[in-house]
Amino acid sequence: SIKDEDEGEDDLIPRVCIANSFGPELLDKLADKNWKMRKEALETIKEIFDKNKFITSDLGDLPVPLCNRLTDVNKVLVQLTFEIVSAIPCAIGSKGARSHVRTFAVAIIGALNDSKPQIREKGISALKAWHKEVPLPYWFDESNLMAEQLADAKKVHLRYTFLPWLTEHLATSKKVPTSALTAFLPHIYSCLEDRDGKVREATSKSLVSFMIHLGFPKMAKACGTNQKVRLELEKAKEALPKIELKAEVINAADIMNPKVSDSPPPKKTKSSEEKCATAKQDKKPEKKTLKSSKSSSKSLKLEPDDIGEIITGFYRTA
């Protein structure tokens, strides 16, 4: 699990529960066919959040009906909804926002397919507001609903708007579930062959961020026999951040002929008579020793001068 540094502070802030403020009457009004009624409901909800800056994570039945308004046909209401959605994570705090981030994130991403740039900008601002309170690893679950948002090739605006945001935050995130990212790969590879140039460009740039977490072998295996995708993966592999390694080098002679800390006592100088007397005795052992040394050298076939230096290992410098 990932420790949230703000968790302690969240527990110290006095918070009020506003769940009862979102009763059936207000929620029905939020889904009314008349856009003016929906607008009134949104304004009431916004006013509730404006008056209560610090609230508990209990939002009652509000999240789903509120998220539905992110794709309202009336663009004024969509922008108003984004303002509310962007204010929620700060109001409930990091700890409380974790329990709602998946619901709101999927809805926000889905709204990024809007043709109006100002709506998409509101969507990215909303993603940033949630990411500020909740680290990216908490955004994923086994449903893989975030990955599925990229599945529809008709959602061109969504693809080239969401992918750059995801690319940026994946590159700096840690401990992102690999199973969740693996679920993205079929859709990522599909986007690489999208007819829209913006989609292809955004997808190509995203490969490095995915590869940081998944690695080249897993991504290459997932692309199967698609040579076009494989070529893009090869390019991404070359662009991966390099980890600088430094070798620790020692002299091979130090291994083969280790130094002895205590020097041997100096040999006594023999007189001429003593040398002559012992010459015959020393002659045969010397031959034997020499033969043994040659045999040992022949079997090892290693000499310190032949080896030079040995690299014994690596350690990270960065």
Side-chain angles (χ1 to χ4, degrees):
S1 60
I2 300 173
K3 185 177 180 181
D4 191 338
E5 296 178 357
D6 298 328
E7 191 170 307
E9 293 182 11
D10 284 349
D11 293 336
L12 297 175
I13 298 175
R15 299 180 183 277
V16 296
C17 180
I18 61 173
N20 292 333
S21 302
F22 311 118
E25 185 179 345
L26 179 60
L27 297 182
D28 287 342
K29 194 175 181 179
L30 187 60
D32 197 280
K33 293 181 179 180
N34 189 327
W35 73 270
K36 292 182 179 179
M37 297 294 285
R38 298 197 301 274
K39 184 173 183 291
E40 287 181 11
L42 286 170
E43 289 173 342
T44 300
I45 294 170
K46 188 176 185 304
E47 186 178 352
I48 293 171
F49 280 100
D50 289 342
K51 289 181 177 179
N52 300 279
K53 297 297 183 181
F54 300 102
I55 60 175
T56 66
S57 60
D58 188 358
L59 300 177
D61 296 325
L62 176 67
V64 174
L66 180 61
C67 286
N68 289 338
R69 298 280 63 80
L70 288 174
T71 52
D72 198 294
V73 292
N74 188 306
K75 304 306 177 183
V76 174
L77 302 191
V78 172
Q79 294 190 59
L80 181 55
T81 306
F82 267 127
E83 291 177 13
I84 298 170
V85 168
S86 299
I88 290 176
C90 182
I92 60 181
S94 298
K95 189 176 180 180
R98 292 177 188 176
S99 60
H100 294 289
V101 66
R102 297 182 185 114
T103 299
F104 282 97
V106 171
I108 293 168
I109 295 168
L112 294 178
N113 195 49
D114 199 288
S115 60
K116 293 186 177 297
Q118 59 268 36
I119 298 295
R120 299 198 298 273
E121 288 173 7
K122 287 277 188 179
I124 292 298
S125 296
L127 289 178
K128 290 179 179 179
W130 280 90
H131 186 259
K132 184 177 180 181
E133 300 296 332
V134 185
L136 194 60
Y138 288 106
W139 291 45
F140 303 97
D141 61 11
E142 296 178 357
S143 68
N144 298 320
L145 290 176
M146 284 182 62
E148 291 297 325
Q149 296 300 306
L150 292 171
D152 191 348
K154 295 179 181 179
K155 295 183 177 180
V156 176
H157 299 300
L158 185 156
R159 284 180 162 187
Y160 71 68
T161 303
F162 173 56
L163 277 172
W165 182 89
L166 182 61
T167 298
E168 176 188 352
H169 295 291
L170 269 183
T172 56
S173 294
K174 297 179 180 179
K175 299 182 180 179
V176 179
T178 56
S179 59
L181 294 184
T182 302
F184 273 87
L185 295 185
H187 310 307
I188 290 293
Y189 296 160
S190 174
C191 289
L192 280 174
E193 300 181 288
D194 195 284
R195 290 182 297 177
D196 189 278
K198 291 182 180 179
V199 174
R200 295 195 303 273
E201 181 181 4
T203 309
S204 181
K205 291 179 179 179
S206 75
L207 294 178
V208 172
S209 292
F210 277 92
M211 201 171 289
I212 288 173
H213 295 278
L214 297 176
F216 174 79
K218 181 176 286 189
M219 294 185 68
K221 183 178 180 180
C223 82
T225 58
N226 191 320
Q227 293 302 313
K228 183 177 181 180
V229 173
R230 177 73 183 223
L231 181 61
E232 291 290 338
L233 292 177
E234 293 283 356
K235 292 178 182 178
K237 182 182 178 182
E238 294 300 318
L240 281 173
K242 305 297 181 184
I243 299 176
E244 184 180 353
L245 298 175
K246 185 176 180 180
E248 182 180 356
V249 181
I250 66 172
N251 197 308
D254 293 337
I255 298 176
M256 299 179 67
N257 301 306
K259 295 180 180 178
V260 180
S261 58
D262 296 324
S263 301
K267 295 182 179 179
K268 293 182 180 180
T269 305
K270 293 183 179 182
S271 64
S272 300
E273 292 77 9
E274 289 176 330
K275 290 180 180 179
C276 292
T278 58
K280 293 181 179 181
Q281 296 177 356
D282 293 339
K283 190 173 182 180
K284 289 184 179 180
E286 281 178 1
K287 282 186 177 181
K288 186 176 182 180
T289 304
L290 181 59
K291 185 178 180 181
S292 175
S293 175
K294 287 181 178 179
S295 176
S296 175
S297 175
K298 185 177 181 181
S299 62
L300 288 174
K301 295 183 181 180
L302 291 174
E303 290 294 335
D305 292 338
D306 294 334
I307 298 175
E309 295 179 327
I310 294 178
I311 298 175
T312 60
F314 294 95
Y315 57 89
R316 296 177 184 270
T317 61

